[in-house]
Amino acid sequence: MPVITNIEDLRVLAEKRVPRMFYDYADSGSWTEGTYRDNEADFHRLKLRQRVAVNMENRSTATTMVGVPVKMPVSIAPVGLTGMQHADGEIHAARAAAKFGIPFTLSTMSICSIEDIAAATGQPFWFQLYMMRDRDAMARMIERARVARCNALVLTLDLQVIGQRHKDLKNGLTAPPRPTLRNILNLMTKPRWCLGMAGTKRRTFGNLVGHVKGVSDMSSLAAWTNEQFDPRLSWPDVEWVKKQWGGKLILKGIMEVEDARLAADHGADAIVVSNHGGRQLDGAPSSITALPAIVEAVGSRIEVWMDGGIRSGQDVLKAWALGARGTMIGRAMVYGLGAMGEAGVARALQILHKELDVTMAFCGHTDIQRVDSSILLPPHRPEVDRYFA
Ligand code: GLV
């Protein structure tokens, strides 16, 4: 067993253990994957200021996200098909998050159901919803989330249509996998995954099958999205969701200041600056570069969070420094899960926390609440640019 010291180690192990079509599903972006790559790369462009001779004892990374106490400003992002990265994947991830002290968000397109998560963790979690054509089905799903004691609803706004992901099309992504020769050969190299799947009944979309009319089997995610997701989604629909739900509402997929203002006007408690992990509009800027203007515009009215590209605790700190009061992690969780199940997600969270905590100390802070953009070096410094421009 390799020694795991960072998120990349978990990614490498996940790539070995998870069937190709599911690994690729998570670890890809749309079209050229430019935005997907920029999400990560743009974090590296931000440089930190090292401070010394500052008392670094008794540090805290604790805060709240929509009123929920969190051990660090991180929550688990909703990720479709998580239960295909590892048998009962959503249950494992939710347990790891609850034990660590951060929120878990269950995707509409999950394998384990809302009820599975409620039963497995006994703790409140968040539920993510897409705007679907069938409003009765949506209302029922919102009601199920309420019964399961979800304490926030995440409405994703950037998937009225689905971004083309070449790998999914080439891999013939289906859940469960279709027995083509290529799939069978690939599955034969993943005995651990197969064994896990043989031991669970949860192999299709738990929130939908048996709950949404006409869904008995999920062949193609893209085809289902095209049929069911509502391309007419507009702000009155957001208000409708807010009214149906009545609790904390988080709007995910905001990349522009105008939309951030509209989100605040239409009752969002928090927004997530997000390009869907580079999976939707390829060519959009990275989330971290879109963040500052949005914080400036609405940060005093609602909580602004971000996701996309977070692979270390340093990235969490940089996002915080630029005004994000919370983050969501998708792939870092998926890598941990694919690598080692619940223990892998727990390991990912420990890694992120340690990197966040130690980096904060190097920057001369002991309490994340006091960290602001002064920990970052300005991008252009004449005395440096003279030599390095
Ligand atoms: C769904 O949310 C996806 O990005 O595949």
Side-chain angles (χ1 to χ4, degrees):
M1 177 76 178
V3 181
I4 304 288
T5 60
N6 56 32
I7 300 295
E8 175 62 10
D9 292 340
L10 290 169
R11 189 199 67 73
V12 170
L13 196 52
E15 192 172 13
K16 277 203 196 108
R17 292 186 169 171
V18 177
R20 173 54 49 190
M21 73 166 73
F22 298 118
Y23 176 82
D24 277 353
Y25 167 73
D27 202 6
S28 59
S30 56
W31 289 300
T32 69
E33 302 194 329
T35 298
Y36 167 56
R37 284 190 299 275
D38 287 351
N39 275 345
E40 219 177 311
D42 283 346
F43 272 112
H44 296 288
R45 292 171 51 206
L46 292 167
K47 301 296 173 203
L48 297 159
R49 290 175 65 219
Q50 172 178 290
R51 299 299 308 278
V52 294
V54 178
N55 183 347
M56 292 171 184
E57 220 177 23
N58 300 327
R59 295 186 299 279
S60 168
T61 58
T63 182
T64 58
M65 292 171 73
V66 288
V68 176
V70 291
K71 190 170 167 187
M72 59 181 171
V74 173
S75 57
I76 304 279
V79 179
L81 294 171
T82 295
M84 283 287 136
Q85 303 293 337
H86 187 285
D88 299 332
E90 291 90 358
I91 292 176
H92 289 282
R95 282 197 180 128
K99 285 182 195 160
F100 191 86
I102 62 158
F104 170 79
T105 315
L106 184 72
S107 163
T108 294
M109 310 301 280
S110 60
I111 303 296
C112 302
S113 67
I114 302 174
E115 293 75 17
D116 287 335
I117 302 303
T121 65
Q123 302 237 9
F125 56 100
W126 296 347
F127 181 62
Q128 174 269 345
L129 199 58
Y130 284 115
M131 203 72 206
M132 293 187 281
R133 291 176 196 268
D134 183 345
R135 296 294 145 89
D136 291 342
M138 280 191 79
R140 284 196 299 276
M141 227 169 311
I142 291 173
E143 191 47 36
R144 285 167 65 199
R146 197 190 328 278
V147 170
R149 293 201 307 129
C150 290
N151 51 358
L153 192 70
V154 179
L155 182 67
T156 302
L157 297 178
D158 61 0
L159 210 137
Q160 279 154 283
V161 291
I162 196 160
Q164 177 168 306
R165 299 133 194 196
H166 297 301
K167 286 179 194 145
D168 291 353
L169 294 172
K170 292 191 168 99
N171 288 333
L173 178 77
T174 56
R178 288 242 170 79
T180 61
L181 182 61
R182 197 157 154 240
N183 287 344
I184 293 168
L185 291 178
N186 185 254
L187 288 180
M188 280 166 66
T189 66
K190 318 286 176 194
R192 184 188 295 258
W193 184 93
C194 292
L195 208 62
M197 281 297 163
T200 181
K201 290 197 288 292
R202 300 182 186 95
R203 293 193 213 111
T204 188
F205 292 80
N207 287 326
L208 306 172
V209 173
H211 291 280
V212 178
K213 255 189 268 134
V215 183
S216 53
D217 167 38
M218 179 74 65
S219 49
S220 154
L221 178 75
W224 198 83
T225 316
N226 286 339
E227 269 165 42
Q228 304 285 335
F229 287 17
D230 194 342
R232 298 160 306 180
L233 162 62
S234 58
W235 291 105
D237 300 314
V238 173
E239 277 173 5
W240 179 83
V241 171
K242 170 97 186 162
K243 209 152 141 223
Q244 291 282 322
W245 170 241
K248 297 280 191 218
L249 182 67
I250 300 153
L251 298 182
K252 180 168 167 289
I254 305 286
M255 288 293 286
E256 289 294 328
V257 164
E258 298 99 290
D259 289 336
R261 290 208 177 99
L262 286 164
D265 294 344
H266 288 83
D269 294 284
I271 54 172
V272 190
V273 175
S274 171
N275 49 36
H276 213 107
R279 301 163 70 75
Q280 288 292 90
L281 177 62
D282 186 41
S286 63
S287 305
I288 191 66
T289 57
L291 175 70
I294 292 178
V295 169
E296 208 175 298
V298 300
S300 58
R301 294 172 67 194
I302 52 174
E303 284 182 35
V304 179
W305 306 346
M306 65 81 62
D307 72 14
I310 294 176
R311 302 290 184 275
S312 88
Q314 291 210 327
D315 299 335
V316 175
L317 191 71
K318 288 171 177 176
W320 178 279
L322 289 181
R325 296 302 85 174
T327 62
M328 290 191 137
I329 54 155
R331 293 188 181 91
M333 173 278 287
V334 163
Y335 299 154
L337 182 68
M340 304 191 301
E342 180 181 334
V345 179
R347 190 80 194 96
L349 296 178
Q350 286 155 7
I351 289 167
L352 293 177
H353 182 254
K354 177 128 195 254
E355 291 164 342
L356 168 65
D357 173 56
V358 172
T359 306
M360 183 174 79
F362 279 134
C363 292
H365 283 276
T366 56
D367 182 358
I368 198 160
Q369 301 294 341
R370 302 181 73 92
V371 173
D372 60 21
S373 59
S374 63
I375 67 162
L376 301 173
L377 279 164
H380 297 293
R381 286 160 286 147
E383 72 286 6
V384 176
D385 292 349
R386 211 181 316 151
Y387 301 104
F388 291 95

